[in-house]
Amino acid sequence: MLFRSVEHRVIHALCDTAEREGRRGEGGIVLAPPPRAEDFAAEVGATRQSVSTVMAELVRSGILRRFGQHSVVISDIGRLRSRLTPAAAE
């Protein structure tokens, strides 16, 4: 997995976390408390800044929504998972 891009590794970790700890909410899958960039960085072998950059892009694209420090909602898990396919990287 370390040979994959940081984006791929972060998305994979987000999907795993959603399956383990997420709960279905009105707007998608809720992760409360939200995953910390530092924890994901250690898990995926990347810098905190790289993880934060990927997370910010997922927010801009509408896949993730942040609610302060209280929770993160994955609004479209299917769209998030689709970024793991080779066609999404092209």
Side-chain angles (χ1 to χ4, degrees), residues 66-82:
R66 294 179 200 231
F67 294 95
Q69 295 181 347
H70 304 291
S71 65
V72 167
V73 175
I74 301 172
S75 58
D76 190 341
I77 191 75
R79 196 166 144 216
L80 182 64
R81 283 191 180 118
S82 74

Side-chain angles (χ1 to χ4, degrees), residues 22-45:
R23 62 178 170 72
R24 264 237 185 252
E26 198 172 301
I29 298 174
V30 179
L31 300 175
R36 293 175 6 140
E38 294 86 357
D39 297 335
F40 268 13
E43 182 178 337
V44 303

Side-chain angles (χ1 to χ4, degrees), residues 45-64:
T47 65
R48 183 204 55 79
Q49 183 60 44
S50 296
V51 170
S52 293
T53 300
V54 171
M55 299 285 272
E57 172 55 34
L58 293 172
V59 169
R60 278 191 297 278
S61 69
I63 294 173
L64 285 185

